[in-house]
């Protein structure tokens, strides 16, 4: 009798621990992004997967290009038993709707890159968020342009700045405002900043927006281009090329440092895309996924707000900078 109980107890313990590891292996975390084709988001997914492999959870990757898809993604995740998800939403104003959907599915939500806002435009401070320190990184962009213009012997009065903008997204506005603030402080006349609103945050939309600006100002001597990300600045640089402006009359400084920028740096001849501020998809992918895992498995909630830094890189040193950030 005693022996039977002992055997049963051991069997029970074994089953328990097996069950425990099966449960751990079954932790499912959604990673929903607004632009799955953009290299930045591909990299975020890659690093989230890396965290999943190391820590033993599954990452469910979903692209959601509009609000309907984002809401459906949460239902889908709930239905397949995911316990949490990270999202870069296609529209930050969806904040309350996404939060309600997450609550209805009893699933934890964290945001990455673009912070949700409520009906009045105020950030949803209760939802843990990791984004870049947008104004500071924008200032790095502005300073790089000012320094490079000086190095080329230009007078800032002769410089036109293409401000590729997407002002409905706060992080986008903060980035370009950071850049123009520094440039104006350094002597750029306010009137030399030309707004080029893009209707989508991709290279093609930026190219169209910038082309209009350049065509409207044929007497500008030198151009600089700023925007939300590398894709925006590359669109503006392509626009300068289309109208025949020489690369050394253009200073484009992007934000990102993923493949879009790297492929540009790999071109045989320098283009007007002078530099990029490299941000870390590893932090945004690996860390958010790991934070979510700890939240689910240890009930340890992530920090409410994490702002990550950026590091300037040109075609000469981007490989070293990326290596230093562990994103090779
Ligand atoms: C926004 C942009 C992306 C990228 C991230 C970084 O979501 O659309 O291209 O710059 O921010 O946080």
């Amino acid at each position: 009798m005693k022996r039977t109980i002992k055997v049963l107890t051991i069997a029970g313990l074994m089953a328990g621990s097996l069950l425990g590891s099966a449960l751990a292996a079954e932790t499912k975390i959604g990673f929903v992004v607004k632009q799955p084709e953009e290299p930045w988001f591909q990299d975020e997914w890659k690093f989230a997967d890396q965290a999943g492999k190391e820590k033993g959870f599954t990452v469910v990757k979903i692209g959601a290009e509009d609000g309907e898809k984002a809401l459906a993604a949460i239902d889908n995740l709930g239905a397949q038993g995911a316990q949490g998800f990270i999202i870069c939403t296609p529209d930050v104003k969806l904040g309350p709707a996404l939060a309600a959907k997450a609550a209805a599915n009893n699933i934890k939500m964290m945001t990455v890159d673009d912070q949700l806002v409520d009906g009045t435009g105020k950030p949803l401070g209760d939802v843990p968020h990791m984004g870049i320190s947008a104004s500071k990184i924008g200032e790095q962009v502005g300073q790089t342009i000012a320094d490079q213009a000086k190095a080329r012997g230009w007078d800032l009065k002769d410089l036109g700045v293409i401000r590729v903008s997407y002002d409905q997204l706060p992080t986008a506005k903060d980035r370009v405002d950071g850049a123009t603030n520094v440039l104006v402080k350094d002597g750029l006349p306010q009137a030399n900043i030309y707004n080029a609103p893009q209707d989508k945050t991709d290279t093609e939309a930026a190219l169209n927006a910038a082309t209009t600006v350049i065509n409207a100002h044929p007497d500008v001597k030198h151009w600089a281009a700023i925007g939300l990300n590398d894709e925006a600045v590359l669109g503006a640089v392509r626009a300068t090329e289309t109208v025949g402006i020489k690369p050394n009359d253009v200073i484009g400084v992007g934000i990102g440092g993923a493949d879009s920028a790297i492929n540009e740096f790999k071109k045989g001849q320098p283009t007007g895309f002078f530099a990029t501020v490299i941000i870390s998809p590893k932090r945004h992918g690996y860390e958010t996924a790991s934070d979510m895992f700890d939240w689910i498995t240890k009930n340890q909630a992530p920090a409410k707000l994490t702002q990550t830094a950026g590091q300037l890189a040109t075609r000469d040193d981007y490989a070293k900078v990326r290596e230093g950030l562990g994103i090779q």
Side-chain angles (χ1 to χ4, degrees), residues 22 85 206 233 240 253 283:
F85 69 97
V233 172
T240 60
V253 179
R283 295 206 57 193

Side-chain angles (χ1 to χ4, degrees), residues 125-263:
D126 275 350
V127 179
H129 175 72
M130 182 185 286
I132 68 167
S133 39
S135 306
K136 262 206 201 129
I137 286 173
E139 286 163 15
Q140 276 172 273
V141 168
Q143 197 56 58
T144 306
I145 293 172
D147 292 347
Q148 185 58 25
K150 235 163 269 164
R152 294 184 190 188
W154 300 352
D155 188 329
L156 287 187
K157 289 188 182 57
D158 298 327
L159 180 71
V161 175
I162 308 168
R163 178 188 187 271
V164 178
S165 63
Y166 195 73
D167 286 348
Q168 59 268 54
L169 177 61
T171 185
K173 185 168 189 309
D174 291 347
R175 295 176 198 188
V176 288
D177 286 351
T180 52
N181 286 346
V182 167
L183 283 160
V184 168
K185 225 194 268 153
D186 269 33
L188 178 85
Q190 189 80 44
N192 291 18
I193 301 165
Y194 304 108
N195 196 30
Q198 51 179 173
D199 54 13
K200 268 182 72 188
T201 55
D202 62 15
T203 300
E204 195 190 338
L207 174 111
N208 294 337
T211 304
T212 309
V213 159
I214 298 165
N215 284 337
H217 301 282
D219 41 347
V220 168
K221 212 163 155 191
H222 313 292
W223 285 105
I226 58 172
L228 161 71
N229 52 19
D230 290 329
E231 286 72 17
V233 172
L234 282 167
V237 168
R238 295 288 92 85
T240 60
E241 290 162 356
T242 324
V243 299
I245 298 168
K246 303 231 159 49
N248 50 15
D249 272 323
V250 180
I251 305 171
V253 179
I255 296 172
D259 271 356
S260 322
I262 302 312
N263 291 338

